[in-house]
Amino acid sequence: MTSQALAILKGRYHNPATAPSKCTELAQFLEEVNASLSLAESALDDGVYLDAIEVLSKLVPCLDPGACSGLYAKVLWMRAQAFSHRRCLRDALGDVDLALELEPEHQPSLLLRARVRRKVGSHQAALSDLYCLQ
């Protein structure tokens, strides 16, 4: 390990030109993401699905699936729930499929996809998802 890496781990290395602003920006970004997720969860709980779709649709382009696939998948799963409740089944299936590409073992996404597939008449595919849940 280099001396610079060791210094970072020990907290002695600090680049004042970049560290504070990047940390501040990241903290603000995470606060905004959490606020958006809270709004979307409230909208889902209250049955105001269009509001949830709107909030989550604004959040999706702000996230990098390569940086945090779990968060991205969660946002897609939440939006898929809202789409499903609105009977926008194609949109729901698209979101949940992408969520499962990122997080293949996310059980809530598998269950949601099974339900959506059943609604569109893809019973064998729905059973396949349910089998994965066992």
Side-chain angles (χ1 to χ4, degrees):
M1 197 177 273
T2 67
S3 61
Q4 182 180 10
L6 283 172
I8 290 170
L9 290 174
K10 293 178 181 175
R12 291 189 296 203
Y13 180 77
H14 177 67
N15 183 348
T18 59
S21 65
K22 284 187 180 181
C23 289
T24 302
E25 289 175 21
L26 178 59
Q28 289 172 339
F29 175 72
L30 291 175
E31 285 178 19
E32 291 172 15
V33 168
N34 282 331
S36 294
L37 286 174
S38 292
L39 281 172
E41 286 173 352
S42 294
L44 282 170
D45 290 344
D46 295 342
V48 189
Y49 304 116
L50 281 177
D51 287 356
I53 291 168
E54 182 181 344
V55 170
L56 295 165
S57 293
K58 288 178 182 177
L59 190 54
V60 167
C62 299
L63 301 174
D64 179 4
C68 188
S69 62
L71 176 60
Y72 198 82
K74 178 181 178 176
V75 170
L76 291 172
W77 167 70
M78 290 173 67
R79 191 170 70 174
Q81 288 181 77
F83 279 137
S84 177
H85 285 291
R86 296 276 307 156
R87 304 219 184 272
C88 302
L89 301 179
R90 234 181 241 167
D91 293 324
L93 201 52
D95 275 359
V96 79
D97 281 342
L98 184 51
L100 284 165
E101 282 180 34
L102 296 167
E103 298 290 325
E105 296 181 16
H106 187 244
Q107 291 187 356
S109 291
L110 282 167
L111 182 58
L112 178 60
R113 186 169 70 179
R115 289 177 177 159
V116 172
R117 284 177 163 178
R118 181 182 50 90
K119 287 178 184 178
V120 298
S122 298
H123 300 288
Q124 194 65 29
L127 286 173
S128 176
D129 285 336
L130 292 174
Y131 181 77
C132 291
L133 288 170
Q134 294 181 358

